[in-house]
Amino acid sequence: MLTIGEFSRLTHLSVRTLRRYHEGALLEPAVVDETSGYRYYAIEQIPTAQVINRLRELDVPLSDVQRILRSPDPGVRATLIADHLQRLEAELDRTRAAVASLRRLLRPDPAPIEVELRAEPARTVAAVAAVVDEGEVDAWFAGAMAELEVAVGDAVIGPPGGTYDNSLFEQGRGHVLVYLPTVAPPRTGRVHAATLPAAELAVTTHVGEHDGIEVTYGELGTWVVENAMSVAGPVREVYLVGPRDVGDPAAWRTEIGWPVFRVT
């Protein structure tokens, strides 16, 4: 049997941590002296303590650690760990995107963006639309676009796009429409024909991953204000080059178009 201090040195878990794990029924001592209250551990508990240590280094919640340790099914344990690793990878992606945006924002002499004023005629497209919460847009977009691709097939005649209502950005929930251009839009499932109205657009192109697009939005908005214009409708995006076309995010191109009118 090992004292709590000896067990601490062998497992690199502090005495305080071991006491907390005991109180939380995560790692209980093999024996607790009824008189002194001293905790004693068995050498067979060392691997369990090391597993806990590694899981906690990965920020696995204590409740999940407990479930992993108590599950007799290796498949369940593997699934719990894989789920947490996916969350870590998603968090890492968000961190990388935030760092990239900050580097761009903090450049001492940022290059001016190129903006084109473009008169877009009305056109009819195959679309899927819904009112969506801001945090659910990515998942909804993936499902809607997959449905569009199946419905339109080889009849697509241009890059995909979307329109995003102002309330999505202002209130966190709003109308979203994604589309594929085609001569004869089908009607099946959620897919239907929709008309994009004619509009005067201030257009620029965002380069790279979509996560950093808010910086380009800000630069385009600045240009609009500096040129005595105002936004007059849902923002439009056209996905000129995306993950469906090339795997390298540096090659992705997203066109942003704000319907505008001149303030007199």
Side-chain angles (χ1 to χ4, degrees):
M1 302 299 290
L2 301 168
T3 66
I4 192 171
E6 292 169 333
F7 194 73
S8 171
R9 291 191 294 273
L10 292 174
T11 60
H12 291 187
L13 292 170
S14 70
V15 169
R16 181 179 180 182
T17 297
L18 288 170
R19 287 173 178 159
R20 183 158 52 89
Y21 288 171
H22 178 198
E23 293 167 357
L26 183 62
L27 180 61
E28 299 183 9
V31 175
V32 178
D33 188 283
E34 293 182 359
T35 303
S36 65
Y38 291 167
R39 298 168 173 88
Y40 296 92
Y41 294 82
I43 57 173
E44 291 81 9
Q45 291 179 284
I46 291 175
T48 300
Q50 291 171 333
V51 168
I52 294 172
N53 192 25
R54 289 301 183 191
L55 291 172
R56 292 298 292 149
E57 285 179 346
L58 291 174
D59 293 327
V60 177
L62 288 176
S63 58
D64 285 351
V65 173
Q66 199 168 58
R67 292 173 63 196
I68 291 169
L69 294 175
R70 292 181 177 180
S71 174
D73 186 342
V76 172
R77 294 198 297 266
T79 299
L80 288 168
I81 294 171
D83 288 346
H84 183 71
L85 291 178
Q86 287 180 347
R87 291 194 293 271
L88 287 178
E89 289 170 354
E91 182 64 31
L92 182 58
D93 288 341
R94 288 192 293 271
T95 300
R96 286 172 174 161
V99 170
S101 294
L102 283 171
R103 284 175 175 164
R104 184 175 168 189
L105 286 165
L106 296 174
R107 284 182 302 187
D109 297 305
I113 62 169
E114 296 183 5
V115 179
E116 171 193 358
L117 286 177
R118 182 190 304 166
E120 282 282 348
R123 57 178 177 149
T124 301
V125 295
V128 173
V131 175
V132 184
D133 289 332
E134 186 176 12
E136 298 174 356
V137 168
D138 289 347
W140 179 88
F141 179 98
M145 192 57 68
E147 192 171 341
L148 278 166
E149 289 173 341
V150 170
V152 176
D154 294 335
V156 63
I157 57 173
T163 68
Y164 302 87
D165 195 71
N166 294 338
S167 62
L168 181 69
F169 307 101
E170 296 169 3
Q171 302 169 18
R173 181 176 173 83
H175 185 268
V176 180
L177 178 146
V178 294
Y179 66 84
L180 284 176
T182 185
V183 174
R187 184 170 186 85
T188 176
R190 295 185 296 170
V191 179
H192 61 279
T195 299
L196 301 179
E200 182 83 7
L201 301 178
V203 179
T204 193
T205 300
H206 171 74
V207 177
E209 294 187 70
H210 205 74
D211 283 337
I213 201 169
E214 77 281 353
V215 179
T216 307
Y217 265 78
E219 292 173 340
L220 179 59
T222 299
W223 186 94
V224 167
V225 172
E226 289 177 346
N227 285 270
M229 294 182 177
S230 185
V231 177
V235 66
R236 302 185 184 187
E237 293 183 358
V238 178
Y239 309 106
L240 303 174
V241 183
R244 290 174 172 80
D245 306 304
V246 293
D248 181 10
W252 298 351
R253 299 291 185 273
T254 302
E255 192 175 80
I256 306 169
W258 271 2
V260 293
F261 64 91
R262 190 167 294 279
V263 179
T264 56

